[in-house]
Amino acid sequence: QRPVCRAGVHWARHAARSQVVCWRLNHQDHTSFGTRHRSSCRSFSSEGRQPLRVSNKDLEVWANDVRGHAYSRACMEPYTVSTVRHFGKGVESPDGWSAHFISTSGLKSSGVPNQDAYSFTTLQCGWILCIACDGHGEHGEIIAERVSRALPLFFSSYLVHGTEEALRRAFQSAQNDLESSFGPMQVYSGATVVMCCIDKDAESVWCAHVGDSRLVVGDMDTGQPVFCSIEHKAHDAEEYKRLEAAGAQVIQKRYDDGEVVSRIFIPKTGVPGLAMSRSMGDGCLKKYGVTAEPDISNITDSWNSCALPGMIMGSDGLWDTVSPEEACSTISARYRSKRDVQAGLENLTRRSQRRWIEAEGDYCDDVTVAFVAPLAAEAAA
């Protein structure tokens, strides 16, 4: 097991704090989502339209109109499991599917909440949407929760344009919503995001992500990963090229063990020192090439290559201490022995937390883990 990545300790521990501001949502000039579409996969009324902001009421109306929606709420105490708010069938899996989630706060500075968030959505038209976010900065938990709630709304609204285009537009609309609704909050705060979209009827599976929250598809029969999303880091050649062209200051350091750590700054300021090259929010770095544009992958072939496919999703609090191979092996072992998968997620979480403390001493990151698979996998094991 490799040691905890030095880049894994959130930049927010060292970054300058933005001013504390009160946030509010402006209910003018936003699109209403209260009218039922016949398939409950609504589309915006005009081509490419992206609302400036979405109200909490819009989010709740939409959540009550889909088959099920649930999202986690930030907790404060160290090692506490986040509570979940449910709409409709909440986290109840569709027939033939299994879904399990856990998000726990780490050990950080006093008064810093769990800045991870997740959501799980089942649409009336057959889609399963799973999202994990990892917030950073003073208001990271607010940004992460907002994105976890808004992304599935936007995705369902854009589905008429096809899956890939719906994902692209959804991420852009979620960024627009942050800029319009959370103004100064998102200037020095943001979130990484990974989203998995499964059309269980069409047997289509997609992944979209920004930052270092990751998705792994594994074969629960062999315990081996077959697909892993790639972290967005400034020392990646293509990412660095974009950042350099936009004028960002990127500082890289290579350690004796070969690990490379990079941080992104506003030139000549020493802030904020962002550890990832793509994110939602982080408004101070958007003009310097830190984009909210996701990497989008059609992972249907990888999914179908598995005898018993399963999706494991997590924040970097997990992946900085647990490899994709170890995560797949742990979960698949519980399948084969017909043990509780939720307990497996809890075991992974505790293992990750122990390794954080062993490596950092006085710091443990927040850890979020999600697992979604066809129920046939559990039954067959």
Side-chain angles (χ1 to χ4, degrees):
Q1 177 62 44
R2 70 181 179 85
V4 176
C5 290
R6 299 174 182 90
V9 180
H10 283 289
W11 67 271
R13 298 175 66 193
H14 313 289
R17 294 281 187 172
S18 59
Q19 293 182 345
V20 178
V21 296
C22 295
W23 66 274
R24 63 177 181 173
L25 295 180
N26 188 324
H27 295 276
Q28 297 178 349
D29 298 324
H30 65 264
T31 299
S32 172
F33 298 89
T35 304
R36 177 180 290 272
H37 186 277
R38 64 180 178 87
S39 65
S40 291
C41 292
R42 302 184 190 85
S43 59
F44 293 123
S45 58
S46 59
E47 181 76 17
R49 181 179 178 185
Q50 296 178 338
L52 292 177
R53 50 177 59 98
V54 176
S55 71
N56 275 325
K57 181 178 179 181
D58 290 328
L59 289 169
E60 295 197 0
V61 167
W62 172 84
N64 279 310
D65 192 38
V66 297
R67 179 187 181 277
H69 176 70
Y71 66 92
S72 63
R73 305 300 309 274
C75 54
M76 297 292 293
E77 295 299 319
Y79 308 122
T80 301
V81 177
S82 293
T83 59
V84 181
R85 188 176 182 196
H86 300 264
F87 295 84
K89 293 186 178 294
V91 294
E92 180 182 329
S93 306
D95 291 341
W97 287 79
S98 176
H100 305 271
F101 310 87
I102 187 172
S103 182
T104 58
S105 55
L107 180 64
K108 300 175 288 187
S109 302
S110 177
V112 177
N114 181 0
Q115 294 191 308
D116 285 2
Y118 69 81
S119 68
F120 180 71
T121 307
T122 52
L123 302 178
Q124 302 285 8
C125 53
W127 283 88
I128 300 171
L129 313 178
C130 189
I131 295 170
C133 302
D134 184 353
H136 49 254
E138 184 171 3
H139 307 292
E141 71 279 4
I142 296 174
I143 302 301
E145 180 182 302
R146 178 67 167 201
V147 172
S148 73
R149 297 179 65 191
L151 262 182
L153 179 153
F154 289 127
F155 174 77
S156 65
S157 302
Y158 287 127
L159 262 176
V160 293
H161 302 292
T163 307
E164 184 172 359
E165 184 65 11
L167 285 166
R168 187 188 68 78
R169 295 190 186 199
F171 273 72
Q172 184 58 62
S173 289
Q175 176 64 30
N176 292 347
D177 172 59
L178 291 177
E179 294 173 1
S180 300
S181 299
F182 291 82
M185 267 194 179
Q186 61 85 46
V187 174
Y188 287 97
S189 297
T192 66
V193 187
V194 59
M195 180 175 184
C196 183
C197 307
I198 302 171
D199 185 347
K200 61 184 182 64
D201 297 328
E203 299 182 349
S204 174
V205 186
W206 291 74
C207 169
H209 77 291
V210 294
D212 52 15
S213 293
R214 299 180 68 190
L215 179 148
V216 173
V217 172
D219 191 332
M220 296 299 103
D221 185 43
T222 64
Q224 294 298 312
V226 299
F227 170 85
C228 302
S229 62
I230 304 301
E231 296 177 329
H232 293 132
K233 297 294 185 180
H235 50 268
D236 175 81
E238 289 301 314
E239 297 293 296
Y240 180 79
K241 184 186 301 184
R242 185 187 69 251
L243 295 165
E244 183 182 41
Q249 181 184 11
V250 177
I251 296 179
Q252 303 182 29
K253 182 174 182 179
R254 182 180 295 275
Y255 291 86
D256 292 340
D257 60 4
E259 181 186 355
V260 180
V261 173
S262 55
R263 301 279 173 160
I264 306 167
F265 300 87
I266 300 171
K268 301 179 180 180
T269 66
V271 296
L274 192 64
M276 64 285 303
S277 55
R278 302 191 193 195
S279 68
M280 309 297 293
D282 295 311
C284 66
L285 288 172
K286 282 295 176 274
K287 70 177 181 179
Y288 294 107
V290 176
T291 179
E293 181 178 351
D295 264 343
I296 301 173
S297 302
N298 183 345
I299 56 177
T300 304
D301 288 345
S302 296
W303 184 272
N304 289 337
S305 72
C306 299
L308 302 172
M311 181 280 294
I312 304 172
M313 177 185 291
S315 61
D316 72 334
L318 173 72
W319 300 120
D320 280 348
T321 59
V322 176
S323 69
E325 291 79 9
E326 183 180 4
C328 287
S329 176
T330 298
I331 298 301
S332 66
R334 302 194 75 85
Y335 268 131
R336 288 192 293 268
S337 61
K338 300 182 180 179
R339 289 180 289 168
D340 181 20
V341 174
Q342 184 65 34
L345 298 193
E346 294 169 3
N347 289 343
L348 277 177
T349 299
R350 288 193 294 269
R351 191 183 309 170
S352 176
Q353 291 169 335
R354 182 176 66 253
R355 290 172 180 171
W356 272 104
I357 294 302
E358 289 172 353
E360 300 290 337
D362 62 347
Y363 181 84
C364 172
D365 201 1
D366 307 319
V367 179
T368 296
V369 193
F371 176 76
V372 177
L375 194 58
E378 283 186 284

